[in-house]
Amino acid sequence: DQQVKQNSPSLSVQEGRISILNCDYTNSMFDYFLWYKKYPAEGPTFLISISSIKDKNEDGRFTVFLNKSAKHLSLHIVPSQPGDSAVYFCAASALGTYKYIFGTGTRLKVLA
Amino acid sequence: SQTIHQWPATLVQPVGSPLSLECTVEGTSNPNLYWYRQAAGRGLQLLFYSVGIGQISSEVPQNLSASRPQDRQFILSSKKLLLSDSGFYLCAWTEQAHNEQFFGPGTRLTVL
C-alpha cells in the first residue's frame, strides 16, 4: 500500500519557467512533509519541509504548498535552472512515529 | 557540523556471500538512524531504523539484518545475499523524530 504517491514519473520544463512537482498521500496521520533532490549514485539532499500547521513554506526558489483537505502537496521551483535536473522525492512522517515514508520520485529535466 | 559516512561506496558480491555495510555519523549524539534501499527505478524503501543503541525496528521481512553497536554506528548485514538484494543502500539520520532527515552518500551493491 503506497501511502505517499508521486504520480508523475517525469517532468520536463524550460529553463526560467516554473517547475511544479506533485505528491499525494493517503494517511491522515501524516503531519510533517519533506522534499528531497537526488542525483544518480548520490544520497538525497534535503530541500524543504512543511508542518501540517502551515499551508506554505518558502526557501529561496523553492516553495512547498500543503493542502490538507486534499491530502496533496506540491513543490514549486521558480525559476527553474538546468542544475535542478534530478529526481525529486517527497516524504511524510506521522506524529509519534520515527518513520519517514517516501514517494517513488519524479524525474525533473530542465531544458536549457 | 554533522557528517554521515557510508562505506564501501560500491560493492560487487556473489550470491550466497555475506554482507556488511557500515554507517557512522559525526557531530551529533543519540541520533535516530535509518537504512533505506533504492532498487533500480524505484523509490526509497525503509528497511530498518534505530532510536538507540541496540534498538532495531525492522520494516520489511527479508534476509537482511541491522545492528547498532555504538551510538553513532549503524550496520546492515546479511548472512547470504540474494540476487534481489542488489540496489543502492542509503543510511540516514535525524536529530529527533519529526525533523529533517539527512542522508549519506550511499553504497551501490551488485549481487551476481
Side-chain angles (χ1 to χ4, degrees):
Chain A
D1 177 30
Q2 192 72 25
Q3 298 184 67
V4 178
K5 301 176 185 178
Q6 294 177 257
N7 292 318
S8 298
S10 63
L11 173 69
S12 291
V13 172
Q14 207 66 34
E15 181 180 6
R17 307 295 290 268
I18 183 172
S19 294
I20 301 177
L21 298 118
N22 294 304
C23 180
D24 297 293
Y25 60 96
T26 59
N27 188 343
S28 58
M29 300 302 291
F30 288 150
D31 67 342
Y32 185 64
F33 304 89
L34 311 93
W35 282 96
Y36 287 84
K37 173 182 179 180
K38 185 181 183 301
Y39 294 119
E42 294 184 12
T45 301
F46 170 75
L47 285 175
I48 192 168
S49 63
I50 187 167
S51 164
S52 62
I53 62 173
K54 295 184 175 182
D55 54 20
K56 178 182 175 182
N57 190 25
E58 283 182 84
D59 185 358
R61 295 187 298 116
F62 302 95
T63 303
V64 56
F65 295 91
L66 176 62
N67 182 333
K68 291 184 288 293
S69 60
K71 294 190 178 70
H72 177 83
L73 65 155
S74 60
L75 174 69
H76 292 209
I77 306 174
V78 184
S80 301
Q81 300 171 354
D84 295 330
S85 297
V87 177
Y88 289 77
F89 290 97
C90 65
S93 178
L95 186 64
T97 74
Y98 297 98
K99 298 193 295 186
Y100 294 74
I101 307 300
F102 281 77
T104 51
T106 296
R107 183 176 302 277
L108 172 66
K109 189 170 185 179
V110 180
L111 307 169
Chain B
S1 64
Q2 298 87 0
T3 311
I4 180 168
H5 302 279
Q6 279 187 251
W7 62 90
T10 60
L11 191 58
V12 180
Q13 292 284 98
V15 170
S17 64
L19 173 74
S20 180
L21 302 181
E22 190 164 342
C23 170
T24 59
V25 181
E26 296 177 356
T28 187
S29 297
N30 198 30
N32 296 330
L33 297 172
Y34 302 78
W35 278 112
Y36 291 87
R37 177 172 60 203
Q38 183 184 21
R42 305 285 295 276
L44 300 178
Q45 180 186 34
L46 178 62
L47 302 176
F48 301 94
Y49 66 94
S50 170
V51 300
I53 297 174
Q55 300 179 57
I56 309 293
S57 296
S58 174
E59 286 299 299
V60 183
Q62 57 210 331
N63 69 321
L64 298 172
S65 62
S67 62
R68 185 170 176 174
Q70 300 180 41
D71 180 43
R72 291 169 289 173
Q73 184 184 31
F74 205 23
I75 297 172
L76 183 69
S77 303
S78 174
K79 292 182 179 178
K80 287 185 179 182
L81 284 168
L82 306 173
L83 286 173
S84 57
D85 291 324
S86 292
F88 193 55
Y89 287 82
L90 290 154
C91 182
W93 73 276
T94 61
E95 200 161 66
Q96 57 190 15
H98 240 49
N99 212 332
E100 293 87 357
Q101 188 172 68
F102 299 98
F103 285 82
T107 295
R108 169 72 60 194
L109 172 66
T110 304
V111 182
L112 301 175

